[in-house]
Amino acid sequence: MAQRAVWLIRHEPGTPLCGTVRFSRRYPTVEKRAKVFNGASYVPIPEDGPFLKALLFELRLLDDDKDFVERRDSCTHINKTTIYRLSVGGEELWPVVAFLKNGMIYASVPLVEQTLSPHPPLISISGISQGLELLFGIQDFLYSSQKNDTELNTKLSQLPKLLLQACPFGTLLDANLQNSLDNINFASVSQPQKQPAWKAGTYKGKPQVSVSITEKVKSMQYDKQDIADTWQVVGAVICKCDLEGIMPNVTISLNLPTNGSPLQDILVHPCVTSLDSAILTSSSIDAVDDSAFSGPYKFPFTPPLESFNLCYYTSQVPVPPILGFYQMKEEEIQLKIKVNLKLHESVKNNFEFCEAHIPFYNRGPITQLEYKVSFGQLEVFREKSLLIWIIGQKFPKSMEISLSGTITFGAKSHDKQPFDQICIGDTAYVKLHFSILDYTLTGCYADQHSVQVFASGKPKISSYRKLVSSDYYIWNSKAPAPVTYGSLLL
């Protein structure tokens, strides 16, 4: 969601143009995206003069506009919203968000991330609600405690710098412009450093640095001698640095325990200023040996204002966190299933949640179920032909749990029953969903004490880490493997 352009127009009846553009702002980067999304239906943003005339005509605010116009005044074109289409230079500009309040017309053109012909439903264009929120925010800012034209002119002069903070590059961050005003010192004209183009504003407030590490583990387990089980870990380090100054410098170090799996295939954000060559050359294509670089991984950077992904990485961990076995056998109209799960001893046994989904595609609803579960509880979604095994927050002391049962299905309904082109006959799977807080499979962590910040004030530093499942499958061992690991996950 973004805005291509924003206007503030003073309605002035009796003047030659019946109005004056008091403020306008265009976003060239959003305009380039509009060309791509709209394709052949793209209409460029007009200059202020033609836009002013077209908008006042559409709003019936021109002094000499008394004649009936079929396109605008017909009963078949009654407008029940603040969304208009403007005829400019023989082309139709749509959608235009506009409304009149206190003699000021507030207008914007939101980005539509699809073709404009035919017009998509308004509810599918998220930029419209964002545009209204921005315009209402500007209105509140201009007329809150505003008493005369002098104060209005002062606030209008502050808008360009305020929108750098509140709506950088056309994307609304904060509709309350007073918040942005409080963070900007307009009395300061000279700056010791040049503001970089990619940094839309500066932060003012309590300094703090937040580092979050999220690892996603994917796995394909077949329990077959001729097909190897596969698994993969992908990590992302997300940072949010609220620091004063134009170009504060930060260095964050990622560390591994003694037996941790080295990080590989590391991709970094453009704001990172330098890296050890050993960090960039570690690749998952090469065989991992004892001489592989195991950190610490230091990332010096100049942070942007928003939250950003400092880096991504992969790692070749020795085992998946949960090993599974799934067997399904069909007997006439019944299915017999057996599922065994084992938590590896090295994995933290403290889940935020853990559950196994067992779908039965291309079959009718579950009419009868007899089952035995050694741990947790089983929920049955009969119409969806789905079993959900809720394991909870801990495995038992044995680290092993099992589920067995016999399932009977009713007549299949093509309208309601789940269908899958891969899971035909005995080809079926169990999919695990889990999350473990304050834990990573590689052991990777951000040492708060090693975070270096070169900026004014002593920042509060916080770090988090989490392991989550992503495409974690255990396939029926009695069926042929339906697809390869790579084609399903990547």
Side-chain angles (χ1 to χ4, degrees):
M1 349 180 249
Q3 304 301 306
R4 296 168 59 186
V6 179
W7 290 269
L8 297 183
I9 298 171
R10 169 71 82 177
H11 180 221
E12 299 171 336
T15 61
L17 296 178
C18 294
T20 305
V21 177
R22 299 298 305 273
F23 173 83
S24 67
R25 177 67 188 269
R26 291 164 174 76
Y27 294 96
T29 55
V30 183
E31 196 66 13
K32 290 183 179 180
R33 292 162 59 192
K35 289 182 181 180
V36 175
F37 284 122
N38 302 157
S41 60
Y42 166 76
V43 176
I45 296 294
E47 296 297 326
D48 287 350
F51 179 84
L52 169 65
K53 185 176 181 180
L55 181 60
L56 292 177
F57 173 80
E58 190 66 29
L59 296 177
R60 301 178 179 86
L61 296 177
L62 294 174
D63 291 342
D64 58 353
D65 185 21
K66 299 178 180 179
D67 297 332
F68 176 82
V69 179
E70 175 71 21
R71 181 189 66 80
R72 183 194 64 185
D73 302 323
S74 170
C75 291
T76 60
H77 294 89
I78 295 177
N79 192 18
K80 298 180 181 180
T81 68
T82 56
I83 314 302
Y84 300 91
R85 51 180 180 172
L86 305 186
S87 179
V88 183
E91 296 182 299
E92 181 184 276
L93 181 65
W94 182 92
V96 178
V97 180
F99 62 87
L100 174 65
K101 189 72 174 180
N102 297 326
M104 188 78 76
I105 301 172
Y106 302 81
S108 72
V109 178
L111 172 68
V112 181
E113 298 180 345
Q114 55 187 301
T115 182
L116 298 175
S117 182
H119 288 175
L122 294 180
I123 197 172
S124 68
I125 307 173
S126 56
I128 289 179
S129 58
Q130 186 196 65
L132 283 169
E133 187 178 6
L134 172 62
L135 296 178
F136 286 139
I138 295 176
Q139 175 196 330
D140 291 342
F141 170 71
L142 291 182
Y143 289 96
S144 62
S145 70
Q146 182 265 326
K147 299 178 181 179
N148 51 50
D149 287 344
T150 301
E151 292 183 12
L152 177 63
N153 292 335
T154 300
K155 292 190 173 184
L156 285 172
S157 68
Q158 295 173 343
L159 272 182
K161 199 166 185 179
L162 286 177
L163 288 183
L164 280 177
Q165 291 266 351
C167 192
F169 306 108
T171 301
L172 182 63
L173 299 181
D174 187 357
N176 188 342
L177 270 64
Q178 189 62 42
N179 291 341
S180 300
L181 180 64
D182 294 340
N183 293 333
I184 295 177
N185 181 11
F186 282 98
S188 176
V189 178
S190 61
Q191 295 179 332
Q193 291 178 282
K194 184 179 179 181
Q195 184 91 355
W198 53 265
K199 195 167 186 179
T202 56
Y203 173 80
K204 187 174 180 62
K206 293 182 178 179
Q208 52 188 356
V209 175
S210 174
V211 185
S212 175
I213 303 174
T214 300
E215 288 187 353
K216 294 183 178 181
V217 56
K218 305 178 179 183
S219 181
M220 285 282 184
Q221 300 179 32
Y222 304 100
D223 193 40
K224 292 177 178 289
Q225 292 183 352
D226 58 334
I227 303 177
D229 294 345
T230 53
W231 55 91
Q232 181 187 46
V233 173
V234 178
V237 181
I238 303 172
C239 295
K240 181 69 168 70
C241 301
D242 296 326
L243 301 170
E244 293 187 349
I246 296 174
M247 294 286 283
N249 293 313
V250 181
T251 298
I252 289 178
S253 296
L254 301 182
N255 298 273
L256 296 174
T258 304
N259 59 345
S261 301
L263 308 186
Q264 301 169 320
D265 306 323
I266 297 176
L267 298 174
V268 299
H269 191 275
C271 71
V272 175
T273 54
S274 63
L275 275 180
D276 190 319
S277 60
I279 295 178
L280 295 176
T281 55
S282 179
S283 171
S284 58
I285 299 176
D286 303 326
V288 179
D289 53 35
D290 295 337
S291 63
F293 182 70
S294 57
Y297 304 85
K298 292 188 176 182
F299 300 90
F301 58 93
T302 53
L305 290 175
E306 69 279 1
S307 176
F308 69 101
N309 293 311
L310 176 63
C311 72
Y312 297 95
Y313 61 84
T314 66
S315 183
Q316 300 181 42
V317 294
V319 291
I322 299 177
L323 293 170
F325 165 82
Y326 179 36
Q327 189 176 85
M328 184 182 77
K329 184 179 180 181
E330 191 164 4
E331 295 182 354
E332 296 180 353
I333 62 172
Q334 292 182 329
L335 280 182
K336 289 189 174 181
I337 64 169
K338 184 177 182 180
V339 182
N340 294 334
L341 299 177
K342 181 179 181 180
L343 180 67
H344 194 270
E345 59 185 9
S346 65
V347 178
K348 181 180 180 181
N349 189 14
N350 189 6
F351 292 80
E352 184 180 14
F353 66 88
C354 182
E355 57 189 36
H357 291 202
I358 311 173
F360 300 97
Y361 291 104
N362 314 317
R363 301 177 186 273
I366 298 173
T367 57
Q368 186 176 351
L369 172 65
E370 296 178 2
Y371 70 92
K372 181 180 179 180
V373 62
S374 68
F375 190 80
Q377 59 185 8
L378 193 67
E379 291 189 356
V380 184
F381 292 81
R382 298 184 181 276
E383 293 299 323
K384 295 182 180 181
S385 300
L386 173 67
L387 303 181
I388 297 182
W389 184 7
I390 301 176
I391 300 165
Q393 295 181 322
K394 282 183 177 293
F395 273 64
K397 290 183 178 180
S398 64
M399 301 295 186
E400 296 186 41
I401 56 177
S402 63
L403 164 68
S404 60
T406 302
I407 309 169
T408 304
F409 298 91
K412 182 168 57 176
S413 171
H414 294 288
D415 296 333
K416 296 183 179 180
Q417 300 309 127
F419 176 79
D420 188 273
Q421 294 180 342
I422 295 176
C423 296
I424 304 295
D426 291 338
T427 303
Y429 62 78
V430 174
K431 186 176 183 181
L432 297 186
H433 301 261
F434 58 82
S435 172
I436 307 177
L437 298 178
D438 194 27
Y439 177 79
T440 52
L441 201 57
T442 61
C444 180
Y445 66 96
D447 186 0
Q448 300 182 33
H449 301 290
S450 66
V451 176
Q452 298 178 328
V453 179
F454 301 95
S456 59
K458 185 177 181 180
K460 176 184 177 182
I461 299 173
S462 56
S463 64
Y464 313 89
R465 56 180 184 163
K466 178 170 65 172
L467 174 70
V468 297
S469 61
S470 173
D471 300 321
Y472 204 104
Y473 294 93
I474 301 168
W475 291 92
N476 177 19
S477 62
K478 292 295 185 181
V483 286
T484 63
Y485 170 79
S487 62
L488 229 173
L489 301 188
L490 303 179

